[in-house]
């Protein structure tokens, strides 16, 4: 009996592995189904622009090396209060028709997490208009972009440029080539795996929803793993119905057909997790708690919240109405500031004043910039949102917002 069970487990495992392997072959045949609509074949449009054809127009130090154009040092620049670096490669009059180029494969080495990679272009249809599209940076410095899905990607190209913006990294930026082409199975598979392995730092919404790939990906890994498992299970069931094998073998084969795609999906997640841990360690490792707060993404909001708490300490039992231009959805700035101001009694919604009948004297109103629809008239001491006026006193002004105290509910205009 034990020998029979062992054989069932062994044959079931072999059938499950064989089914998942056969499913890969079938998925390879089905790969054109994920191509963008009306995508041309690779043979219809193929062009390679070596990096040496581009001029490094924004860089502190750059030089051509073989077929590449290398930026050894980025140009210092400012973004608000942050010091960043910039590097831009430009090619004038490339002699290309955007209508014939469906997909871009960019080889750009040395890009660091946190840096932005942007494609710029001008076309003869609107020579004065500069268009752009952001690219992600994937493993081995390769990134992809669906050009045919961009409304502004059309006409004869007058100028083409690639830019990198962000905190400079330790490695030089090496522009190797821009490869324009259509779609075939090999390129599609290469792109899919590059998109799956591409590192995306966690955002503030990652705790609730994590896609694992950029929004323009050909197919998401979870969908691919589910389809892989489904095809493998169909093959297992079909083999069992044809051969009339033992039920135990069917169960074991079905479990393997589910386990292998799940392990592959989990491997992708673990790779992303390990890279995120490395980035977190590099950003916050060996720092004190105060230093960690200073390097956090909401460091400016933390400082502003501490500033407001010092002002509001004597008024902590009053209601605070927080207004912000983003009156819908989960806006990071307004929600993060509300969190930093807890346990104050905060009403965090809307971008206009609350109706006068719902206001009380001594209520507080915080206009978290930007709030374009609310104005304060210091001469008359009135907050005005265009529909109503409320008497108020300015308590504090700051680059991030203004704090007011309601004196007496007003009236509708």
């Amino acid at each position: 009996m034990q020998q029979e069970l062992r054989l069932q487990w062994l044959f079931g495992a072999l059938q499950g592995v064989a089914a998942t392997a056969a499913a890969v072959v079938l998925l390879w045949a089905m790969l054109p189904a994920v191509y963008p609509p009306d995508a041309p074949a690779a043979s219809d449009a193929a062009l390679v622009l070596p990096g040496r054809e581009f001029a490094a127009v924004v860089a502190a130090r750059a030089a051509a090396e073989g077929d590449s154009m290398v930026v050894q040092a980025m140009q210092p620049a400012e973004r608000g209060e942050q010091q960043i670096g910039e590097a831009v490669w430009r090619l004038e009059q490339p002699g290309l028709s955007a209508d014939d180029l469906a997909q871009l494969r960019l080889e750009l080495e040395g890009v660091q997490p946190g840096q932005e990679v942007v494609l710029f272009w001008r076309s003869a249809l609107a020579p004065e208009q500069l268009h752009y599209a952001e690219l992600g940076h994937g493993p081995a410095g390769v990134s992809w972009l669906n050009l045919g899905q961009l409304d502004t990607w059309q006409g004869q190209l007058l100028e083409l440029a690639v830019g990198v913006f962000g905190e400079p990294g330790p490695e030089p930026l090496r522009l190797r080539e821009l490869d324009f082409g259509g779609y075939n199975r090999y390129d599609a598979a290469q792109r899919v795996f590059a998109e799956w392995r591409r590192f995306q730092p966690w955002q503030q919404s990652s705790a609730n929803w994590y896609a694992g790939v950029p929004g323009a990906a050909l197919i998401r890994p979870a969908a691919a793993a589910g389809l892989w498992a489904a095809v493998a299970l169909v093959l297992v069931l079909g083999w069992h119905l044809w051969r009339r094998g033992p039920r135990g073998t069917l169960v074991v084969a079905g479990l393997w057909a589910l386990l292998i795609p799940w392990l592959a999906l989990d491997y992708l997640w673990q790779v992303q997790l390990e890279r995120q841990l490395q980035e977190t360690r590099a950003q916050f490792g060996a720092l004190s708690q105060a230093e960690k707060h200073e390097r956090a993404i909401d460091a400016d909001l933390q400082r502003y919240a501490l500033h407001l708490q010092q002002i509001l300490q004597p008024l902590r039992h009053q209601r605070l109405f927080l207004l912000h231009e983003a009156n819908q959805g989960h806006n990071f700035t307004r929600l993060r500031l509300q969190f930093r101001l807890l346990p104050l009694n905060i009403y965090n919604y809307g971008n206009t004043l609350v109706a006068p009948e719902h206001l009380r004297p001594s209520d507080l109103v915080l206009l978290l910039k930007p709030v374009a629809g609310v104005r304060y008239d210091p001469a008359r001491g009135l907050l005005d949102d265009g529909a109503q006026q409320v008497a108020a006193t300015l308590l504090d002004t700051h680059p991030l917002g203004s704090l007011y105290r309601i004196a007496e509910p007003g009236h509708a205009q």
Side-chain angles (χ1 to χ4, degrees):
M1 183 67 179
Q2 285 186 337
Q3 183 68 19
E4 183 179 350
L5 288 176
R6 287 174 183 167
L7 288 175
Q8 288 184 11
W9 277 86
L10 176 59
F11 289 140
L14 291 175
Q15 288 179 20
V17 172
T20 53
V24 170
V25 176
L26 291 176
L27 292 177
W28 175 263
M30 297 164 55
L31 195 56
V34 303
Y35 293 174
D38 302 323
S43 59
D44 295 339
L47 177 68
V48 177
L49 295 177
R52 70 171 183 270
E53 296 188 9
F54 289 76
V57 294
V58 178
R61 191 171 69 256
E65 295 183 8
D67 288 339
S68 305
M69 179 59 70
V70 182
V71 171
Q72 292 97 348
M74 301 177 73
Q75 180 72 36
E78 293 184 0
R79 179 182 291 172
E81 299 181 357
Q82 182 184 8
Q83 295 292 327
I84 65 169
E86 296 180 342
V88 178
W89 298 262
R90 184 175 64 190
L91 176 63
E92 295 184 348
Q93 299 295 334
L96 308 177
S97 175
D99 301 324
D100 297 331
L101 307 173
Q103 179 175 240
L104 168 65
R105 179 181 181 271
L106 171 69
E107 285 195 37
L108 176 60
E109 298 176 356
V111 180
Q112 303 298 308
Q115 291 180 337
E116 299 174 351
V117 182
V118 182
L119 177 72
F120 300 94
W121 69 92
R122 298 181 192 272
S123 73
L125 296 179
E128 72 289 347
Q129 182 69 43
L130 179 65
H131 305 290
Y132 67 92
E134 186 173 352
L135 295 89
H137 46 88
V142 176
S143 55
W144 302 78
L145 181 64
N146 283 337
L147 299 171
Q149 294 183 340
L150 303 175
D151 294 336
T152 54
W153 183 258
Q154 53 184 334
Q156 193 74 14
L157 296 180
L158 303 178
E159 182 181 4
L160 198 62
V162 177
V164 178
F165 309 93
E167 185 176 346
E171 301 293 330
L173 295 168
R174 184 182 301 272
L175 179 63
R176 289 195 175 275
E177 67 178 33
L178 280 75
D179 186 354
F180 296 92
Y183 292 85
N184 58 31
R185 283 190 178 88
Y186 175 77
D187 287 342
Q190 187 181 20
R191 173 177 176 171
V192 164
F193 288 124
E195 289 172 339
W196 290 355
R197 293 166 54 213
R198 169 186 162 190
F199 174 63
Q200 289 185 296
W202 285 346
Q203 305 298 317
Q204 297 302 316
S205 60
S206 296
N208 300 318
W209 182 77
Y210 179 72
V213 287
L218 287 180
I219 184 172
R220 298 187 182 277
L227 183 59
W228 184 13
V231 173
L233 285 174
V234 170
L235 293 176
V236 166
L237 182 59
W239 176 264
H240 176 77
L241 293 176
W242 179 48
R243 301 294 296 180
R244 301 291 182 181
R247 181 173 298 179
T249 302
L250 172 64
V251 172
V252 174
L255 290 176
W256 275 95
L258 291 173
L259 180 63
I260 292 176
W262 184 86
L263 289 176
L265 183 63
D266 187 68
Y267 169 76
L268 292 175
W269 162 252
Q270 294 298 330
V271 170
Q272 294 283 356
L273 178 60
E274 180 61 28
R275 295 191 63 181
Q276 180 61 54
L277 290 175
Q278 294 174 3
E279 292 302 314
T280 303
R281 187 180 298 112
Q283 182 176 0
F284 297 107
L287 298 179
S288 66
Q289 192 64 32
E291 291 171 332
K292 290 178 182 178
H293 283 294
E294 283 299 317
R295 299 198 67 175
I297 190 174
D298 66 339
D300 56 340
L301 291 177
Q302 292 189 47
R303 290 190 291 268
Y304 185 40
L306 180 61
H307 171 75
L308 289 173
Q309 286 173 343
Q310 295 172 348
I311 298 174
L312 296 173
Q313 186 62 32
L315 308 172
R316 61 183 303 111
H317 298 295
Q318 302 298 328
R319 298 186 303 173
L320 173 64
F321 293 89
L322 194 157
L323 306 184
H324 186 269
E325 196 63 32
N327 65 325
Q328 295 180 348
H330 295 279
N331 178 264
F332 169 76
T333 301
R334 69 183 304 160
L335 291 177
R336 199 64 178 174
L337 182 61
Q338 179 184 15
F339 170 75
R340 294 297 179 187
L341 288 175
L342 293 175
L344 295 176
N345 186 15
I346 302 174
Y347 293 78
N348 182 12
Y349 59 88
N351 57 5
T352 58
L353 296 171
V354 181
E357 59 267 22
H358 298 304
L359 286 174
R360 299 195 297 260
S362 299
D363 281 344
L364 302 167
V365 175
L366 175 61
L367 302 184
L368 182 60
K369 296 181 180 179
V371 184
V374 182
R375 296 285 187 271
Y376 181 66
D377 184 351
R380 297 191 296 161
L382 292 176
L383 280 172
D384 187 349
D385 66 359
Q388 59 191 11
Q389 295 178 337
V390 177
T393 302
L394 176 64
L395 296 182
D396 179 71
T397 184
H398 186 275
L400 293 181
S402 301
L403 180 66
Y404 302 89
R405 186 174 185 178
I406 300 300
E408 179 182 354
H411 58 277
Q413 286 183 325

